Amino acid sequence: MNRIFSGVQPTGNLHLGNYLGAIRNWVRLQRDYECLYCVVDMHAITVWQDPAALRASTREVTAGLVAAGLDPAKNILFNQSQVSGHAELAWIFNCVARLGWLNRMTQFKEKAGKQRENASAGLYVYPNLMAADILLYKATHVPVGEDQKQHLELARDIAQKFNGDFGVEFFPLIEPLILGAATRVMSLRDGTKKMSKSDASDYSRINLTDDADAIALKIRKAKTDSGVLPETPAGLEARPEADNLLGIYGALADKSLEDACREFAGASFSVFKEKLVERAVAELQPIQTEMKRLLADPASIDSILRSGAERARAIAEPILKEVQAIVGFLRP
Ligand code: TRP
């Protein structure tokens, strides 16, 4: 049976990019697969996190997932640190993965930047923990964005080397699941930059906690160019803002970029933006309302995570026991 695993970091607020790029796909997958979705608080602390903010973000991300339609009874939704097997398997993988493999990880290079000597050791072995997340459940399919593909290849290498070193066929080979036309949502202020929770301007992104007025205002203020909307996507590379807004519209309306262009061919941005506001509010406002309701009752969120962790542990424990036996750990 196919088992899906994916993770999301509890750092800062969820925005439209997270929603269209990941969350919405996760919600769609729950129909056909057994899915585990993990709020990866242990990955988050590879860079400094204020403890109170980490707690708040863990609850906020959980609330966002549930509000967006992820059913916590059908899926296993939990935070990583509650299942100690992640750390235990990650240690074993620290001893399987090679320094040379980790040295090639572009995300480490980007995140550590010039401060390499000052980066945490955790940031360096981040991909080993990610491999442990997935393989602790022998998950086969992992929905991720483009930026995580290299980490998944490393997880495959770890699984393969583990199997080879110990002469077993234990871990499955992981398949990345890049769903649909990868929706790359860009900043509303600059169509060449990714929409990001760390952008200084809140006008650059639509947060899942934004109400209808905020969504409308941000879309109306979004940067455009002086042209009208094109008939076809040809030429959109040179018009990053038009490309981004049409892409967002298409994603929200479940239409291809071609169809979105056809619908608005020759229209002004102001006409198009009103339609985009309508779409965005219709889809996002119910999520925002539900998120607010859930966040008003943190105990209910904690209880979702607690029961998710219990169910995750039930799958993980026998797998971890087998791994420990394979490695030669004596557990009389
Ligand atoms: N590294 C992923 C990200 O930043 C999050 C993540 C952690 C993850 N563990 C995972 C994703 C396991 C998929 C599977 O987006």
Side-chain angles (χ1 to χ4, degrees):
M1 190 175 120
N2 290 327
R3 179 174 284 159
I4 302 243
F5 184 99
S6 198
V8 58
Q9 291 208 41
T11 48
N13 38 5
L14 293 174
H15 55 68
L16 186 64
N18 305 121
Y19 177 69
L20 292 176
I23 298 172
R24 197 172 64 157
N25 294 328
W26 294 8
V27 172
R28 291 175 179 183
L29 284 167
Q30 69 186 352
R31 283 183 248 148
D32 308 315
Y33 297 95
E34 176 183 350
C35 303
L36 292 114
Y37 294 118
C38 184
V39 183
V40 292
D41 46 9
M42 288 160 62
H43 276 107
I45 64 161
T46 56
V47 297
W48 169 251
Q49 303 296 328
D50 171 71
L54 180 62
R55 274 188 287 273
S57 274
T58 301
R59 291 196 179 109
E60 188 180 311
V61 168
T62 307
L65 294 173
V66 174
L70 206 80
D71 179 353
K74 201 154 189 290
N75 302 279
I76 299 181
L77 177 56
F78 69 109
N79 59 312
Q80 192 180 27
S81 61
Q82 283 203 62
V83 181
S84 59
H86 290 258
E88 294 176 70
L89 186 57
W91 178 258
I92 293 171
F93 287 172
N94 284 344
C95 304
V96 174
R98 306 288 95 182
L99 288 187
W101 302 356
L102 293 173
N103 285 338
R104 284 196 288 276
M105 294 295 110
T106 55
Q107 187 168 301
F108 175 77
K109 288 180 201 163
E110 276 161 25
K111 283 199 183 172
K114 293 193 189 74
Q115 296 287 316
R116 199 172 186 280
E117 293 295 306
N118 204 27
S120 75
L123 188 65
Y124 190 65
V125 293
Y126 178 116
N128 297 346
L129 177 59
M130 183 162 159
D133 294 342
I134 302 162
L135 293 167
L136 184 59
Y137 305 95
K138 291 193 175 179
T140 49
H141 292 74
V142 183
V144 285
E146 282 292 324
D147 64 331
Q148 295 299 314
K149 269 171 94 174
Q150 197 186 29
H151 287 159
L152 284 192
E153 276 157 27
L154 188 98
R156 279 172 75 108
D157 291 344
I158 289 177
Q160 214 156 15
K161 180 161 164 54
F162 180 95
N163 288 347
D165 285 354
F166 295 102
V168 291
E169 292 271 347
F170 188 74
F171 287 121
L173 282 194
I174 302 162
E175 294 291 339
L177 211 62
I178 313 282
L179 291 159
T183 312
R184 248 174 90 79
V185 179
M186 312 305 280
S187 158
L188 299 180
R189 308 299 289 167
D190 176 351
T192 64
K193 283 200 331 212
K194 246 176 104 169
M195 184 176 284
S196 155
K197 57 193 160 200
S198 50
D199 195 309
S201 167
D202 199 51
Y203 281 103
S204 70
R205 65 186 157 257
I206 295 174
N207 303 305
L208 287 194
T209 47
D210 285 343
D211 62 16
D213 288 344
I215 296 171
L217 185 65
K218 287 176 178 180
I219 291 176
R220 288 186 189 122
K221 277 184 176 279
K223 186 177 169 197
T224 59
D225 54 42
S226 54
V228 294
L229 290 156
E231 279 167 42
T232 71
L236 275 178
E237 308 87 81
R239 301 177 67 189
E241 283 80 21
D243 191 14
N244 185 38
L245 293 175
L246 279 163
I248 292 173
Y249 179 86
L252 286 169
D254 259 324
K255 286 183 178 171
S256 66
L257 195 56
E258 283 75 20
D259 286 345
C261 288
R262 208 166 298 133
E263 188 175 344
F264 294 104
S268 69
F269 275 103
S270 58
V271 168
F272 163 66
K273 278 182 168 180
E274 288 316 303
K275 292 284 179 205
L276 180 57
V277 166
E278 249 173 60
R279 274 281 171 192
V281 168
E283 177 126 354
L284 300 177
Q285 196 181 27
I287 299 176
Q288 183 255 337
T289 310
E290 180 62 8
M291 243 179 118
K292 211 165 141 186
R293 194 187 68 78
L294 287 164
L295 286 168
D297 181 9
S300 73
I301 299 174
D302 295 358
S303 117
I304 288 173
L305 291 173
R306 204 176 314 115
S307 76
E310 244 167 63
R311 290 161 62 207
R313 253 180 253 124
I315 302 175
E317 271 166 12
I319 295 176
L320 185 63
K321 279 212 176 88
E322 280 188 76
V323 175
Q324 290 165 332
I326 290 168
V327 169
F329 292 168
L330 193 59
R331 308 209 117 196

